[in-house]
Amino acid sequence: MNRHAVVLAALLLAGATQPAHAQAVSQAWKQYREGRTTQAPPPPSEPELPAAMSHQQAQYYRPVQRDGSGFFVGAQLGKGWIYEEIDQDAVSFNAGYRWQAGPVALLGIEVGAGRLADTRWQGIHFDEVKFRSIGFNGRFNFGRHNPWYGIVRAGYWAADVGEGEWAGEVDGGYVGIGVGVDLGRNANLNLLYTSYVYASSYYWADYEFNRADTVTVGIEARF
C-alpha cells in the first residue's frame, strides 16, 4: 500500500468515528443539562385541619361564644351561720340573666331562694330559716381565654324564721363574692361567700343589726 493509500484510509477512519464520538458527547451533555435544569418537587404541605375542628376551637376560645349574654341557673350546697359556732346546713338556688358588658365582664340580675336547716347545739334547738332574694349578679373573667373568673353579688333578701307562734320574718341586704372555673361553654363550678345583713327589733332597743353568713360550693348552667 502506497503512502497516498495510507493517508486516505486514515482520513476515512477518522470521519467514521467522528459522528459516534459527537453523538456520545451530545447525549451526555443533554443528560447533564436536564439534571441541572430539573427542579426537585416541593415537600408535601402539612394537612389542613378539618373545618369542623377549627370551628369548635374558635367557639371555645372566643369570649363572645364562651361568655356571651344569656340565662343562667345555679345550685349551691354548704354551711350557714346565724349564730357564732353554730353550723347549719345550707342549700340555695339562683337564676337570672347576664348581658355582655365588655371583653371580660357580664352584668345582670338574679333571683334566688334557699334555706338553712334546723339544728341543735348543747341541747338548744335552732329553727329552720327559709329565704329568698333578688339583686345584681356580675361575672368578671381573669383574661379573655382564661377559664377562671370572679363573682360579685348584691341585693335585697327576706327570710321566714321558725314556725307557729315563734315564727317571724326578717329582711335586709346581702353581698357576696366568689371565684369560679368554666367546665366548658355551658357549665362551671364556683365557690361563694355571702353575707346577709338584717335588722331585728327588741324590747330594749328599736332595732339591732345582725348578720348571717354562708359559704357554698355550686354548679351553674348557662344557656
Side-chain angles (χ1 to χ4, degrees), residues 9-23:
L11 290 175
L12 292 175
L13 180 61
T17 58
Q18 182 70 22
H21 178 70
Q23 184 177 2

Side-chain angles (χ1 to χ4, degrees), residues 50-203:
M53 182 182 295
S54 301
H55 181 62
Q56 290 175 359
Q57 291 176 341
Q59 283 183 325
Y60 181 81
Y61 286 112
R62 284 184 299 175
V64 67
Q65 293 291 336
R66 186 168 66 91
D67 305 325
S69 302
F71 291 97
F72 64 91
V73 177
Q76 303 85 34
L77 292 173
K79 292 291 185 180
W81 298 268
I82 298 177
Y83 309 97
E84 290 186 22
E85 300 181 359
I86 301 175
D87 298 347
Q88 293 179 260
D89 292 335
V91 58
S92 60
F93 305 91
N94 68 327
Y97 190 94
R98 287 187 293 247
W99 289 268
Q100 187 83 33
V104 296
L106 291 95
L107 308 178
I109 58 174
E110 67 172 6
V111 294
R115 73 179 184 92
L116 299 180
D118 63 326
T119 189
R120 299 189 70 87
W121 181 77
Q122 295 185 356
I124 303 174
H125 179 261
F126 294 90
D127 292 322
E128 177 186 66
V129 178
K130 297 179 180 180
F131 61 90
R132 57 241 175 235
S133 62
I134 182 170
F136 163 82
N137 185 297
R139 167 184 163 133
F140 304 90
N141 298 319
F142 299 148
R144 292 177 63 88
H145 306 311
N146 193 327
W148 290 91
Y149 63 90
I151 308 167
V152 177
R153 305 167 63 223
Y156 168 80
W157 75 287
D160 299 317
V161 182
E163 297 179 351
E165 62 178 323
W166 298 105
E169 182 176 342
V170 295
D171 64 348
Y174 73 93
V175 61
I177 59 173
V179 64
V181 60
D182 284 327
L183 302 179
R185 286 186 57 201
N186 301 108
N188 61 265
L189 296 176
N190 53 65
L191 174 66
L192 296 172
Y193 164 76
T194 308
S195 182
Y196 300 87
V197 179
Y198 60 97
S200 299
S201 60
Y202 300 95
Y203 68 89

